[in-house]
C-alpha cells in the first residue's frame, strides 16, 4: 500500500499546482492498485471537476459515497459536481444528506447555501430585471463583458427565457454575471434593514471634488470605490497611494482577484518583481477558490511571466506564459512565447560557446582525420563549431572530412558558410573549388578558384585548380555549352537583349566588364554565366 500512498501524494501535489491531467493519471494508477479507497475517488473527482469533466467527476463522487456512506465530504463533492451540471435539486439533496451525517460541516453548509441561492436566482430570473445593464456596467467583474455583442444577445435571450441559462450554464461569463446580480440583490436587502446595516466605512479623501460626488452618487460597494481611487493614483504614477487603496479593497473583499492583480501591477511598475510574483500567485489561489474568470487567471500567469522576463529568468517566464495559454489562448501570448523561445535558444547557444574547448575539439578532429576515421573527425569538428560558431576554419576542416566520405553536398555547404563568415579566407575558396570539381561542376569551380586568386595571385593550389578547370572546360566546350543551355536561368539571361550587348562589349573590350560589374543585377547574371562555364575571364 506504500505505492498507493506515494501515487496519491503525487496526485495531490499535481492538483495543487494545477497540473490536472497529471493528477488524474496518478489517482487512476492508485485506484488500479486499491479500488476500495474512497479518498482516491474523491480526489480524482476534484481533479475532473477542475478540468471541467463534470460527468467523470460525478461518477467518482458517487463511487466515493458508495464506498464511504458516512463521510460528509463525499456528499459535498457530489453536491458541488451536480451544481456544475445544473442539477440543482439533486445538488441540494446531496448537501442535505451530508449535513444529516455531519451537521457542523462548514463546507456542506456553504455549498448548500450557494446552490439554494442559484436555484432561487434562476427561479425568479434576475436576468429580466430592468436595471440589468446598469448593475453590470457598475461592477468591474462584468463591465468589460458589455462590449461583447454576443454576450449582450445572450443576456436578452435569458431575460426572455430563463431556460436558455440552463443550456449555457458552463459559460463562465454567465456564472460571473449571476454572482454579480446576486451580490446586487443581497446589497439591496441589507440596505433596506437599517438595524442590520453595518457601519459605513469611511472612504479615503478623493483627489478632487468631482470624483467624490461621482462615487457618492454611484452607490458602489466600498471595495470598488477603493479600487477606483487606486486606479486613479496608479494612472498618476502615485504608486504608494495606489497600494494603500488596493490593499484596503482587499481588506473589504478578499475574494476578488482583480484587486490582487492591481497590487501586483503596482509592484511590477516599482520593479519589485519578487513581490509582483508573490501577489500574482496569491491572486491565482484566490481566483481558483472563487471560480474567477479563466481570463483573469491567465492574466495573473502572464504577469508572472513578465516579471521573470524582467529578471532575465527567461526559462521561468516561458513556463508561466505556457500556463497562461492553458487558461486562455491569445495571439499576444503566443507571440510572447515565440519571442521568449528565441531568447532562450540564443542564451543557450552563447552559454555553450567556449573557444578553448573548440580548439581542443578541433585538435581531436585533426587526429582522427589523420588516421582516416572521418566520421569521428566530423563529430569533433561539429562540436568545435558549436563551441565557436564564428571561426571559419572549423567549417573548412569539416568540409574536408565530408569530402573524404564523398558527402559533397554537405562539404559544399560548409565551404559556403566558411567564406560567408570570412570572405578573405582563401582556404575556404580553394576547398570549395575542389569540391565543385569533384561534383563535375567545372564552371562553378573555376569561379571559386578565381576568388582565391584575387586574394593571392601566386597561390599554387589555386593556380593549379584554376588551370585544371580551364583545361577541362576548353577540352569539351560543346558539352559545357550543352549542359549550360539546359539551365532555364542561363537561357533567360542569353535572351535578354541588354545582356547580349554587354557580352559583346566584354568580348571586344574586356575592360568594359568592370564598369558593368558596378550594377548588382548585371553582376549577378555575369556570375551565373561564369559558373555555367559559358563565359571565362582572362
Amino acid at each position: 500500500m506504500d505505492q498507493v500512498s506515494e501515487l496519491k501524494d503525487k496526485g495531490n501535489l499535481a492538483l495543487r499546482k494545477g497540473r490536472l491531467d497529471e493528477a488524474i493519471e496518478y489517482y487512476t494508477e492508485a485506484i488500479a492498485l486499491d479500488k476500495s479507497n474512497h479518498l482516491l475517488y474523491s480526489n480524482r473527482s476534484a481533479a475532473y471537476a477542475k478540468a471541467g469533466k463534470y460527468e467523470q467527476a460525478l461518477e467518482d463522487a458517487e463511487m466515493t459515497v458508495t464506498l464511504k456512506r458516512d463521510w460528509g465530504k463525499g456528499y459535498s463533492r457530489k453536491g458541488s459536481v451536480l451544481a456544475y451540471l445544473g442539477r440543482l435539486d439533486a445538488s441540494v439533496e446531496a448537501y442535505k444528506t451530508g449535513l444529516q451525517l455531519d451537521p457542523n460541516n462548514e463546507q456542506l453548509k456553504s455549498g448548500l447555501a450557494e446552490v439554494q441561492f442559484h436555484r432561487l436566482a434562476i427561479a425568479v430570473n434576475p436576468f429580466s430585471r430592468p436595471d440589468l445593464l446598469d448593475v453590470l456596467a457598475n461592477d468591474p467583474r462584468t463591465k468589460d463583458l458589455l462590449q461583447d455583442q454576443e454576450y449582450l444577445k445572450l443576456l436578452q435571450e435569458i431575460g426572455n427565457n430563463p431556460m436558455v441559462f440552463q443550456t449555457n450554464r458552463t459559460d463562465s461569463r454567465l456564472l460571473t454575471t449571476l454572482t454579480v446580480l446576486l451580490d446586487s440583490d443581497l446589497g439591496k436587502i441589507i440596505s433596506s434593514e437599517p438595524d442590520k446595516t453595518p457601519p459605513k466605512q469611511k472612504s479615503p479623501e478623493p483627489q478632487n471634488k468631482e470624483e467624490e460626488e461621482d462615487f457618492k452618487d454611484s452607490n458602489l460597494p466600498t471595495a470598488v470605490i477603493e479600487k477606483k481611487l487606486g486606479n486613479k493614483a496608479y494612472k498618476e504614477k502615485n504608486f504608494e497611494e495606489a497600494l494603500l487603496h488596493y490593499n484596503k479593497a482587499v481588506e473589504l473583499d478578499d475574494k476578488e482577484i482583480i484587486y490582487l492583480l492591481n497590487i501586483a501591477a503596482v509592484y511590477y511598475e516599482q520593479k519589485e518583481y519578487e513581490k509582483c510574483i508573490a501577489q500574482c500567485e496569491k491572486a491565482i489561489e484566490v481566483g481558483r477558490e472563487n471560480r474567477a474568470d479563466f481570463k483573469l487567471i491567465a492574466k495573473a500567469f502572464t504577469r508572472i511571466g513578465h516579471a521573470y522576463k524582467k529578471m532575465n529568468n527567461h526559462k521561468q517566464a516561458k513556463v508561466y506564459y505556457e500556463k497562461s495559454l492553458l487558461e486562455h489562448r491569445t495571439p499576444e501570448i503566443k507571440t510572447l512565447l515565440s519571442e521568449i523561445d528565441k531568447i532562450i535558444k540564443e542564451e543557450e547557444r552563447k552559454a555553450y560557446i567556449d573557444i578553448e574547448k573548440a580548439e581542443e575539439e578541433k585538435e581531436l578532429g585533426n587526429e582522427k582525420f589523420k588516421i582516416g576515421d572521418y566520421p569521428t573527425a566530423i563529430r569533433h569538428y561539429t562540436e568545435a563549431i558549436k563551441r565557436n560558431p564564428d571561426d571559419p576554419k572549423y567549417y573548412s576542416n569539416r568540409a574536408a572530412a565530408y569530402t573524404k566520405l564523398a558527402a559533397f553536398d554537405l562539404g559544399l555547404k560548409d565551404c559556403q558558410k566558411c567564406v560567408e563568415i570570412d570572405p578573405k579566407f582563401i582556404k575556404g575558396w580553394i576547398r570549395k573549388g575542389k569540391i565543385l570539381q569533384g561534383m563535375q561542376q567545372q564552371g562553378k569551380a573555376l569561379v571559386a578558384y578565381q576568388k582565391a586568386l584575387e586574394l593571392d595571385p601566386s597561390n599554387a593550389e589555386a593556380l593549379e585548380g584554376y588551370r585544371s578547370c580551364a583545361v577541362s572546360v576548353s577540352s569539351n566546350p560543346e558539352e559545357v555549352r550543352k549542359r549550360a543551355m539546359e539551365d532555364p536561368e542561363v537561357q533567360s539571361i542569353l535572351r535578354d537583349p541588354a545582356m547580349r550587348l554587354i557580352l559583346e562589349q566584354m568580348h571586344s573590350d574586356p575592360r568594359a566588364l568592370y564598369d558593368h560589374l558596378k550594377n548588382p543585377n548585371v553582376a549577378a547574371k555575369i556570375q551565373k554565366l561564369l559558373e555555367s562555364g559559358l563565359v571565362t575571364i582572362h
Side-chain angles (χ1 to χ4, degrees):
M1 300 302 288
D2 287 344
Q3 189 177 355
V4 172
S5 297
E6 185 181 344
L7 287 167
K8 179 168 76 72
D9 290 342
K10 287 182 178 179
N12 292 346
L13 179 62
L15 183 61
R16 284 197 298 272
K17 294 192 174 182
R19 301 197 298 265
L20 303 179
D21 290 340
E22 186 180 327
I24 290 167
E25 188 176 335
Y26 281 127
Y27 293 139
T28 302
E29 288 181 34
I31 287 170
L33 298 172
D34 184 5
K35 292 183 172 60
S36 61
N37 191 325
H38 66 284
L39 292 172
L40 297 175
Y41 288 99
S42 175
N43 290 4
R44 191 171 69 174
S45 175
Y48 275 135
K50 284 192 174 185
K53 300 176 180 179
Y54 301 120
E55 293 293 346
Q56 294 97 316
L58 180 58
E59 288 178 14
D60 277 357
E62 289 176 338
M63 181 59 75
T64 302
V65 298
T66 299
L67 293 171
K68 187 74 172 171
R69 294 190 179 278
D70 59 347
W71 191 48
K73 189 171 182 178
Y75 293 94
S76 174
R77 189 79 73 205
K78 182 177 177 180
S80 174
V81 177
L82 285 166
Y84 274 120
L85 289 167
R87 296 164 58 181
L88 302 185
D89 290 341
S91 174
V92 168
E93 288 306 312
Y95 280 121
K96 285 182 176 179
T97 303
L99 283 169
Q100 288 173 3
L101 297 168
D102 188 0
N104 298 319
N105 189 302
E106 291 300 325
Q107 192 173 13
L108 287 165
K109 288 180 181 179
S110 63
L112 176 60
E114 184 179 349
V115 174
Q116 286 175 327
F117 260 116
H118 277 273
R119 190 166 61 168
L120 176 63
I122 291 172
V124 300
N125 193 8
F127 290 88
S128 63
R129 57 191 289 175
D131 62 343
L132 174 70
L133 296 182
D134 289 337
V135 172
L136 300 181
N138 285 320
D139 194 291
R141 291 170 288 182
T142 49
K143 180 181 178 182
D144 293 340
L145 293 176
L146 296 178
Q147 306 301 317
D148 186 343
Q149 293 300 316
E150 180 190 341
Y151 169 75
L152 291 173
K153 183 180 178 183
L154 193 55
L155 291 182
Q156 185 177 4
E157 290 175 358
I158 298 171
N160 295 328
N161 179 11
M163 292 307 296
V164 176
F165 180 90
Q166 287 291 331
T167 58
N168 292 274
R169 59 181 176 269
T170 58
D171 190 323
S172 61
R173 298 173 303 176
L174 294 183
L175 294 175
T176 302
T177 303
L178 183 56
T179 302
V180 169
L181 295 175
L182 287 171
D183 287 348
S184 173
D185 285 338
L186 186 59
K188 288 181 178 179
I189 292 169
I190 292 172
S191 63
S192 68
E193 300 178 7
D195 56 319
K196 295 182 181 179
T197 303
K200 187 173 181 181
Q201 303 203 30
K202 186 178 179 182
S203 300
E205 188 69 18
Q207 294 298 313
N208 56 64
K209 188 175 181 181
E210 182 183 352
E211 183 170 321
E212 181 179 16
E213 289 175 355
D214 286 344
F215 288 164
K216 282 181 178 179
D217 294 341
S218 67
N219 291 321
L220 292 173
T222 311
V224 176
I225 293 175
E226 291 290 347
K227 190 203 82 163
K228 287 180 174 289
L229 290 169
N231 290 350
K232 183 176 184 298
Y234 180 89
K235 288 175 183 176
E236 294 171 353
K237 297 192 180 296
N238 190 345
F239 297 128
E240 292 303 327
E241 183 181 338
L243 276 178
L244 287 173
H245 290 301
Y246 291 146
N247 279 308
K248 186 65 177 176
V250 172
E251 288 177 23
L252 296 165
D253 182 2
D254 61 0
K255 294 182 179 180
E256 178 52 71
I257 184 176
I258 291 175
Y259 306 151
L260 298 167
L261 286 174
N262 287 1
I263 293 172
V266 173
Y267 285 140
Y268 185 85
E269 290 295 330
Q270 291 179 322
K271 297 181 171 54
E272 296 277 1
Y273 301 122
E274 293 285 359
K275 288 183 179 180
C276 172
I277 290 167
Q279 199 67 30
C280 286
E281 287 174 344
K282 185 177 179 182
I284 291 164
E285 184 181 343
V286 169
R288 296 262 194 236
E289 289 174 357
N290 295 282
R291 300 175 187 169
D293 191 318
F294 57 87
K295 293 178 183 177
L296 294 174
I297 302 290
K299 188 174 183 179
F301 280 128
T302 299
R303 187 158 286 154
I304 294 176
H306 290 340
Y308 275 120
K309 187 178 179 183
K310 286 290 186 180
M311 295 162 70
N312 290 320
N313 189 340
H314 297 113
K315 288 187 177 179
Q316 276 297 94
K318 179 183 177 182
V319 168
Y320 283 92
Y321 287 148
E322 286 173 341
K323 287 184 177 183
S324 177
L325 275 181
L326 289 174
E327 296 293 330
H328 179 51
R329 297 187 70 81
T330 64
E332 293 80 10
I333 303 303
K334 289 173 73 175
T335 300
L336 279 171
L337 195 55
S338 176
E339 290 172 355
I340 211 79
D341 265 330
K342 291 177 183 176
I343 292 171
I344 290 170
K345 286 177 182 176
E346 182 61 17
E347 285 177 342
E348 289 174 346
R349 186 189 74 83
K350 289 180 178 178
Y352 201 68
I353 291 174
D354 187 321
I355 295 173
E356 288 184 11
K357 287 185 178 179
E359 283 297 308
E360 289 174 11
E361 290 295 334
K362 186 203 75 168
E363 292 303 324
L364 289 171
N366 290 348
E367 290 173 13
K368 295 298 180 182
F369 188 93
K370 288 174 186 175
I371 63 174
D373 186 358
Y374 304 119
T376 305
I378 288 169
R379 283 200 295 273
H380 286 298
Y381 293 141
T382 300
E383 182 64 19
I385 289 170
K386 289 179 181 178
R387 292 291 186 179
N388 186 9
D390 298 324
D391 193 322
K393 64 176 178 288
Y394 304 143
Y395 295 94
S396 177
N397 288 9
R398 190 170 68 174
Y402 278 136
T403 304
K404 291 292 185 180
L405 295 173
F408 297 120
D409 287 345
L410 294 173
L412 185 61
K413 186 177 178 182
D414 270 354
C415 286
Q416 189 57 41
K417 183 66 178 178
C418 179
V419 295
E420 281 176 11
I421 293 171
D422 184 3
K424 295 182 179 180
F425 189 65
I426 190 169
K427 197 169 185 178
W429 290 111
I430 293 170
R431 184 148 282 148
K432 182 178 180 180
K434 286 184 176 181
I435 291 174
L436 288 166
Q437 273 188 288
M439 298 171 74
Q440 299 301 309
Q441 296 183 29
Q442 307 295 342
K444 292 181 179 180
L446 198 66
V447 172
Y449 287 129
Q450 268 184 326
K451 289 282 188 182
L453 289 171
E454 288 172 10
L455 296 169
D456 182 3
S458 62
N459 186 286
E461 212 174 351
L463 282 167
E464 178 59 32
Y466 183 85
R467 291 186 185 120
S468 174
C469 288
V471 169
S472 178
V473 169
S474 61
S475 64
N476 194 352
E478 187 57 35
E479 182 63 29
V480 170
R481 185 178 183 283
K482 181 180 177 183
R483 189 165 56 245
M485 292 304 293
E486 290 174 354
D487 186 333
E489 191 177 347
V490 170
Q491 294 174 21
S492 175
I493 293 169
L494 294 177
R495 283 197 297 267
D496 183 346
M499 281 303 300
R500 291 174 66 176
L501 180 61
I502 289 169
L503 291 172
E504 287 176 10
Q505 289 178 347
M506 286 169 54
H507 182 71
S508 59
D509 181 7
R511 289 174 298 180
L513 169 67
Y514 298 103
D515 292 329
H516 291 304
L517 289 177
K518 293 176 183 177
N519 183 326
N521 187 40
V522 173
K525 292 179 179 180
I526 292 173
Q527 179 72 16
K528 178 64 181 178
L529 296 177
L530 286 169
E531 291 175 356
S532 71
L534 284 178
V535 173
T536 58
I537 300 173
H538 300 287

